[in-house]
C-alpha cells in the first residue's frame, strides 16, 4: 500500500552496556533510499509472522526480522530509549484516549439496548403497561451501571481536553513559567491518563456488555469486540503496573515534588474559592475529601517508601487510581460550575445542563468515595504482599 515502509528500531550496538542504558535508536527502511530520494534495493527487513491477537484485528501486528539489515542511527549511541520516549509519551496519551473511546462506544450501544430490551417490571409499578414488560432502563441497577460509565466518560473527556490544552501551552506559550507548569502537568498526568482511562475503559466495556445479557456474549451484537479491543490499551505502551510505578517512583518526587504540589495548589485553591457557593455544595466537599486522601497518600509514601521501596510498589496502582478519581472529581466540580451558569443564561440548554449536573452528582456520591478505600490500601503497606513465599503462590 506504500512505496516504502520505514521502521524505527531499538537495537543494541555490539559492546553496548547491558540493560536499557545500552539501547540505541535506528531508522531501518524496507527499501534503501537512493541519494536522489528514489526507492532503491530491498533492505534485509521482512515480516516473520502475523500475530494472532485477542483483539484489534484491524491492526496487523507482526514479528519483523532484520537479517543483515541496514539501519541509520538516530540521535546518540545508547540514548535510544530517551529518543523513543518522545514518541512514547504521546502514544501513552493516545492509549488513554483509546480506552475512553471504547468506554464511550460501548456505552452508546448499551443505552440503545437498555431502552429497547423488554424484561421485568419496574419496582414501583409498570412504566409501560401497554407492553408485555418494561424496558430494562427502568431498573435501578441498570441505571446505576449506565451512569457509572457516563460519569466516567464525561470526566475523562474533560481530563483529556485539559491535558491537551496544557500540551499546547507547554509547546507554544511565550511565558516560561507557564510553559514549565504545563510541562509539569504533562509529566504527572501522562501515566494517570494512560493507566486510569484504560483500566476503566476496559471495565466499562465489560459493564456495557453486561447490559446486553446473553446477547453481550454473542459476537453478532458487537459488544465482545469492544471488550477485546479495550484490553490491549491496558497492556501496550507500558503495562499499567509500569505506569503506576512511573507515577509513584519518578513523577511524584521529580523536581522536589513541584508537579504534584502544583496540582494540590490548583485543586485546593478551586475548593477554597468555591466553598461558599451553595450550588456547588455536593461537589466541593467530596472533592476536598478526595484531595485530602491524595495528600495523605503522598505523605505516606514520603514517610514510608524511601526506606522500604516495596511500600511504593505495593501502593502504586491504588495511588494512580486515587489520583485519577481526584483529577476527574476536579473536572466534575469545574463542569458543574459552568453548567450552573449556562443554565441561568437560558438559551434552551437547561435540560442538558440538568443532565450534566445529575451525572456529576452521581460521580461525587457513587465514584468519589473510592478514594477512601484506595488510601486504606496504600497505608496497609507491603507486608502481607511480600511475606507470601513464592512457592506458596
Ligand atoms: C498488539 C501489540 C502491539 C505492540 N506494538 C509494539 C510496538 O509497536 N513497538 C514496541 O516496541 N512494542 C510493542 N508491543 C510490546 C508492548 O509494548 C509490551 O508487550 C508491553 O509494554 C508490556 O511489556 P512486556 O510484554 O515486556 O511485559 P513484561 O515487562 O514482561 O511485564 C509483564 C507484567 O509484569 C509487570 N511488571 C514487569 N516489570 C515490573 C516492575 N518492575 N514493577 C511492577 N510490575 C512489573 C507488568 O506490569 C506486566 O503486568 C506491542 C504489544 C502488543 C501486544
Amino acid at each position: 500500500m506504500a512505496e516504502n515502509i520505514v521502521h524505527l528500531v531499538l537495537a543494541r550496538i555490539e559492546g553496548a552496556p547491558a540493560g536499557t542504558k545500552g539501547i540505541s535508536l535506528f531508522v531501518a527502511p524496507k527499501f534503501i533510499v537512493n541519494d536522489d530520494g528514489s526507492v532503491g534495493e530491498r533492505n534485509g527487513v521482512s515480516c516473520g509472522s502475523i500475530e494472532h491477537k485477542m483483539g484489534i484485528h484491524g491492526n496487523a501486528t507482526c514479528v519483523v526480522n532484520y537479517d543483515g539489515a541496514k539501519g541509520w542511527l538516530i540521535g546518540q549511541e545508547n540514548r535510544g530509549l530517551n529518543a523513543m520516549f518522545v514518541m512514547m509519551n504521546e502514544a501513552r496519551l493516545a492509549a488513554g484516549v483509546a480506552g475512553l473511546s471504547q468506554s464511550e462506544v460501548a456505552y452508546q450501544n448499551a443505552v440503545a439496548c437498555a431502552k429497547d430490551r423488554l424484561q421485568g417490571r419496574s419496582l414501583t409499578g409498570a412504566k409501560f403497561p401497554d407492553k408485555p414488560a418494561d424496558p430494562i432502563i427502568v431498573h435501578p441497577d441498570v441505571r446505576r451501571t449506565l451512569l457509572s460509565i457516563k460519569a466516567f466518560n464525561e470526566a475523562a473527556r474533560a481530563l483529556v481536553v485539559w491535558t491537551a490544552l496544557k500540551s499546547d501551552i507547554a509547546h507554544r506559550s511565550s511565558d516560561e513559567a507557564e510553559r514549565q507548569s504545563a510541562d509539569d502537568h504533562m509529566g504527572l498526568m501522562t501515566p494517570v491518563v494512560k493507566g486510569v482511562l484504560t483500566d476503566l475503559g476496559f471495565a466499562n466495556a465489560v459493564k456495557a456488555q453486561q447490559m446486553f445479557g446473553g446477547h453481550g456474549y454473542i459476537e453478532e451484537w458487537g459488544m465482545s469486540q469492544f471488550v477485546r479491543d479495550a484490553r490491549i490499551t491496558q497492556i501496550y505502551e507500558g503495562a499499567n503496573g509500569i505506569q503506576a510505578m512511573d507515577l509513584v517512583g519518578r513523577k511524584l518526587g521529580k523536581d522536589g515534588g513541584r508537579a504534584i504540589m502544583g496540582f494540590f495548589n490548583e485543586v485546593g485553591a478551586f475548593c477554597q474559592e468555591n466553598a461558599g457557593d451553595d450550588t456547588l455544595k455536593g461537589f466541593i466537599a467530596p472533592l476536598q475529601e478526595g484531595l485530602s486522601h491524595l495528600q495523605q497518600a503522598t505523605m505516606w509514601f514520603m514517610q514510608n517508601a524511601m526506606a522500604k521501596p516495596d511500600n511504593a510498589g505495593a501502593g502504586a496502582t491504588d495511588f494512580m487510581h486515587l489520583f485519577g478519581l481526584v483529577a476527574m472529581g476536579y473536572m466534575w466540580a469545574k463542569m458543574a460550575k459552568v453548567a450552573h451558569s449556562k443554565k441561568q443564561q437560558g438559551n434552551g440548554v437547561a435540560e442538558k445542563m440538568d443532565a450534566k449536573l445529575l451525572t456529576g452528582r452521581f460521580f461525587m456520591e457513587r465514584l468519589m468515595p473510592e478514594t477512601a478505600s484506595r488510601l486504606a490500601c496504600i497505608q496497609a503497606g507491603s507486608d502481607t504482599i511480600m511475606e507470601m513465599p513464592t512457592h506458596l503462590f
Side-chain angles (χ1 to χ4, degrees), residues 10 53 56 61 84 232 235-242 245:
L10 288 170
K53 304 194 298 285
I56 56 165
T61 306
M84 200 69 170
I232 187 59
I235 297 173
Y236 64 11
E237 306 308 344
N240 284 358
I242 301 298
M245 285 303 291

Side-chain angles (χ1 to χ4, degrees), residues 8 10 23-26 74-76 78-89:
L8 283 173
L10 288 170
I23 294 175
S24 303
L25 185 65
F26 298 87
I74 298 181
Q76 292 170 13
N78 303 329
R79 302 276 297 162
L81 223 50
N82 300 62
M84 200 69 170
F85 261 99
V86 175
M87 185 191 83
M88 276 180 69
N89 280 331

Side-chain angles (χ1 to χ4, degrees), residues 17-74:
T20 52
K21 289 197 170 67
I23 294 175
S24 303
L25 185 65
F26 298 87
V27 62
K30 176 176 174 181
F31 294 101
I32 304 287
V33 179
N34 296 322
D35 289 345
D36 63 0
S38 61
V39 172
E41 66 187 62
R42 181 79 198 229
N43 199 4
V45 179
S46 61
C47 172
S49 69
I50 302 280
E51 302 288 8
H52 299 280
K53 304 194 298 285
M54 172 180 168
I56 56 165
H57 292 140
N59 175 313
T61 306
C62 59
V63 174
V64 179
N65 294 328
Y66 298 92
D67 299 308
K70 260 190 203 167
W72 282 263
L73 181 71
I74 298 181

Side-chain angles (χ1 to χ4, degrees), residues 234 238-246 316-317 320:
Q234 298 172 285
N240 284 358
I242 301 298
Q243 304 300 324
M245 285 303 291
D246 176 45
T317 291
M320 183 177 76

Side-chain angles (χ1 to χ4, degrees), residues 149 198-208 230 234:
I149 310 176
T198 63
D199 274 358
L200 291 175
F202 175 73
N204 287 343
V206 172
K207 280 183 189 167
Q234 298 172 285

